[in-house]
Amino acid sequence: MDGLDGVSWSERLSLFRWAIAAALVAGAVYPLLGTFLHVRRTSFYGIALPQFATAGMVCGFAVLPWWIETIGLAGLDLSAATSDSHAAMNYHLAWAALFTFGGLALLLWLGQRGGGSEVGRVAAAFAIASAATVLFGRVSPVGKGFVDELVAGELLGVGVHEFETIAVVLGLSALVFWLFHRDLLLASYDRETALVLGKRVLAFEGLLVLVTGAMVSVGAMALGPILLFGMLVLPPIAARAWARSMTGYLLLSSAFGVAAALVGIVASFELDLPMGAAIAACAALLALPGALFGRRAA
Amino acid sequence: MSALLVAHRAAFGYQRRPVISGVELEIARGDFLGIVGPNGAGKTTLFRGLLGLIPPLEGSVRRETRAIGYVPQRETLDPIYPVTVEEVVQMGAYGKLRGWRGLSSAERVRAQECLERVGLADRRRDAFSSLSGGQRQRVLIARALMDEPELMLLDEPTSGVDRGAQARILELLVELNRSRGMAILLVSHQLSMVRETVQRVLWVAEGKVRVGAAAEMLAPENLDRLYAASGTTRSASEEL
């Protein structure tokens, strides 16, 4: 963020309005998903899945020259496809979604087969996805710089197209959480009672998988994995120490996410830091008092 | 008296392999039954089959009422969820909620009444995980009462609680059975409790179910015969 020293706050807000808006929306909605991942004891998914999505996007870059030559991408040439274009964004989103849903399906399938520990499987998945990200980046003609930027968590390049995509996907996801939070809670907390009460548990579990895949794919594409790690994992941990009810937990997680985004945005401008990493660091700081002084959850 | 649940030549098991077969059973209003038997004999399989959590491999299970309350083992509920006592009880009404409809004020009042019924109304704002084992069990009974059940099924309701808590839980179940005619089916490995509380016993052993009067079937001399016939011995927790 060199060269921002002489830029006033109002100019910054105007220049980076889409990045700021995307970070705030992410701060409000990703912790809702993270809360469900946390209570289902699948928080590690919040780390592994964004890495899968990143590997997918970098893989998309690696095969981009071949793709343009053999299949085509809305008539774009390689140079146009690597710059900010709607078609290229959709292309990368598709790769992110392919790897996210593929990784999620693989983890669920391995979990159903049993054997080994869930933590071990997810940790292995994270290691593989991380290695794949680096390797795909190396063979990609445009990948290395992109991978560096993605890993650094620089959000300032978020434009109107990315924001629109984020807003639509996260808006719909928030609607799902608002409409079905009771059903999702019951299906997660007490599956057998949910079945006895006539709830379509498989449908709600499928809905959660769908929302997880969509949110992670679009977030990794537009915001980068570091912000996703931070928003999916840290606000739920911060809120759990203070939450007194499940509804309160969801709202508090979201509030912690927005607070981390706000402080992180200011810190990134003031201290010249990558915005995604600054927000994740602020989320970690917000989790600290709860870890030290909050009530201990099981 | 009309039957609430009828099993006819039912077989239950997993992956198409029956664990228990030839189940003939009729549960009517006012019945109080206990499922007992040696460890690993298939008590839980029978319980889950009657509850509808696993479909019968053969025969049929007919539930004539939709008002069925279920009380799971409290250990299956993860304390990582920061749910309050009130939230847990209100879950009993979630079966009727569709889409965006929240709990009605009548359902909230009902939750309060159910908590009063089990003697825990003053703990409604407390964390569910902060209660003792016996109190949590009573909260789960309150949740099952939300749907005004005609038949209540309980999985090991007095397991792992002290004698005082056990007595309060049994008192509550007996009261529900006598005053409201609620049929109750519980599964337990605590033979003395079952003998003193239930009317009929479903003895599960060697893949079969025998039904009989509790006092008779669980009499010490009979029990030794039942265990010997099934080729097993009683574990410490099953002692009378």
Side-chain angles (χ1 to χ4, degrees):
Chain A
M1 289 207 297
D2 295 336
L4 275 182
D5 285 349
V7 184
S8 71
W9 264 98
S10 61
E11 284 170 324
R12 288 178 196 189
L13 291 178
S14 170
L15 267 176
F16 304 118
R17 62 189 181 282
W18 300 119
I20 293 167
L24 290 172
V25 172
V29 183
Y30 279 105
L32 297 177
L33 172 62
T35 300
F36 277 102
L37 294 179
H38 184 69
V39 291
R40 290 169 70 96
R41 296 191 186 265
T42 52
S43 284
F44 276 118
Y45 279 52
I47 295 174
L49 292 179
Q51 198 60 46
F52 269 112
T54 309
M57 278 189 300
V58 182
C59 179
F61 269 106
V63 300
L64 188 58
W66 171 85
W67 189 282
I68 285 175
E69 201 161 301
T70 55
I71 299 169
L73 188 63
L76 300 173
D77 61 17
L78 186 59
S79 163
T82 52
S83 62
D84 183 23
S85 98
H86 216 150
M89 192 192 78
N90 290 339
Y91 169 83
H92 292 300
L93 182 56
W95 277 99
L98 180 71
F99 271 59
T100 305
F101 282 106
L104 197 49
L106 181 70
L107 287 170
L108 293 175
W109 178 70
L110 289 172
Q112 289 217 324
R113 279 187 67 209
S117 75
E118 173 120 46
V119 171
R121 281 191 294 273
V122 180
F126 176 77
I128 292 165
S130 302
T133 304
V134 173
L135 294 176
F136 286 137
R138 182 58 65 90
V139 299
S140 154
V142 289
K144 191 174 180 311
F146 173 78
V147 173
D148 290 345
E149 192 177 310
L150 207 61
V151 171
E154 186 51 85
L155 299 185
L156 295 183
V158 169
V160 65
H161 293 327
E162 285 91 347
F163 175 73
E164 281 170 354
T165 310
I166 279 274
V168 168
V169 171
L170 297 199
L172 288 173
S173 302
L175 189 66
V176 165
F177 288 124
W178 180 60
L179 288 178
F180 300 114
H181 70 277
R182 291 184 190 86
D183 301 294
L184 292 170
L185 168 63
L186 184 60
S188 305
Y189 183 59
D190 191 351
R191 194 173 195 277
E192 292 195 341
T193 296
L195 287 167
V196 172
L197 288 173
K199 287 287 172 192
R200 285 181 290 179
V201 171
L202 271 180
F204 286 114
E205 286 177 343
L207 182 65
L208 191 58
V209 168
L210 191 69
V211 168
T212 304
M215 285 177 70
V216 168
S217 307
V218 77
M221 186 272 301
L223 308 170
I226 292 198
L227 182 67
L228 280 199
F229 298 158
M231 286 293 117
L232 286 173
V233 177
L234 295 169
I237 289 176
R240 180 60 187 89
W242 309 107
R244 292 181 167 273
S245 69
M246 195 60 203
T247 310
Y249 185 24
L250 286 163
L251 295 174
L252 206 53
S253 286
S254 186
F256 271 116
V258 172
L262 275 172
V263 180
I265 289 164
V266 173
S268 77
F269 284 146
E270 287 294 326
L271 304 173
D272 195 14
L273 298 170
M275 194 184 279
I279 293 172
C282 289
L285 288 176
L286 288 175
L288 211 53
L292 294 174
F293 310 111
R295 279 177 291 121
R296 291 180 66 188
Chain B
M1 209 180 299
S2 61
L4 300 172
L5 184 147
V6 180
H8 178 57
R9 291 185 184 172
F12 304 109
Y14 303 96
Q15 288 157 353
R16 295 181 191 171
R17 286 190 197 151
V19 173
I20 204 147
S21 58
V23 180
E24 290 285 347
L25 176 69
E26 192 171 306
I27 302 178
R29 272 184 68 80
D31 273 350
F32 202 142
L33 300 103
I35 301 176
V36 291
N39 286 336
K43 297 191 292 285
T44 301
T45 304
L46 173 64
F47 182 78
R48 288 168 61 83
L50 295 175
L51 192 55
L53 292 173
I54 51 173
L57 299 174
E58 288 169 26
S60 63
V61 177
R62 226 174 52 238
R63 288 170 206 87
E64 303 291 354
T65 177
R66 290 178 64 86
I68 294 179
Y70 169 52
V71 180
Q73 288 193 38
R74 64 184 183 284
E75 288 84 5
T76 60
L77 304 178
D78 194 336
I80 197 171
Y81 289 77
V83 285
T84 61
V85 166
E86 191 172 44
E87 279 179 322
V88 171
V89 177
Q90 287 173 350
M91 283 178 198
Y94 285 7
K96 289 176 181 164
L97 299 184
R98 293 286 177 271
W100 56 85
R101 184 173 92 72
L103 288 167
S104 66
S105 54
E107 284 160 340
R108 289 177 195 280
V109 170
R110 171 96 189 123
Q112 180 66 16
E113 287 168 357
C114 291
L115 271 174
E116 278 165 18
R117 179 116 202 182
V118 301
L120 289 168
D122 57 328
R123 305 294 302 271
R124 70 194 177 97
R125 298 223 184 272
D126 290 356
F128 179 66
S129 59
S130 71
L131 302 186
S132 69
Q135 288 170 329
R136 269 182 278 163
Q137 202 65 54
R138 278 151 61 202
V139 171
L140 294 177
I141 292 172
R143 182 178 71 173
L145 290 175
M146 279 293 284
D147 216 13
E148 300 188 45
E150 292 183 277
L151 169 62
M152 187 183 286
L153 292 96
L154 304 97
D155 192 358
E156 298 280 4
T158 56
S159 172
V161 300
D162 62 53
R163 282 189 178 278
Q166 195 178 102
R168 273 195 295 279
I169 292 165
L170 294 176
E171 219 170 87
L172 177 65
L173 294 179
V174 168
E175 195 266 329
L176 290 168
N177 174 250
R178 290 194 184 145
S179 69
R180 311 169 91 190
M182 185 187 295
I184 292 177
L185 172 68
L186 56 84
V187 60
S188 178
H189 64 273
Q190 293 171 305
L191 298 178
S192 57
M193 179 277 284
V194 172
R195 189 181 59 179
E196 287 158 21
T197 312
V198 311
Q199 301 153 357
R200 283 194 294 157
V201 160
L202 280 68
W203 174 265
V204 182
E206 293 186 306
K208 297 287 175 199
V209 179
R210 287 177 59 182
V211 185
E216 187 187 316
M217 279 190 83
L218 298 184
E221 62 277 14
N222 237 354
L223 263 184
D224 290 336
R225 206 151 41 80
L226 285 169
Y227 272 97
S230 64
T232 55
T233 53
R234 265 183 273 167
S235 68
S237 61
E238 291 167 331
E239 290 299 325
L240 281 169

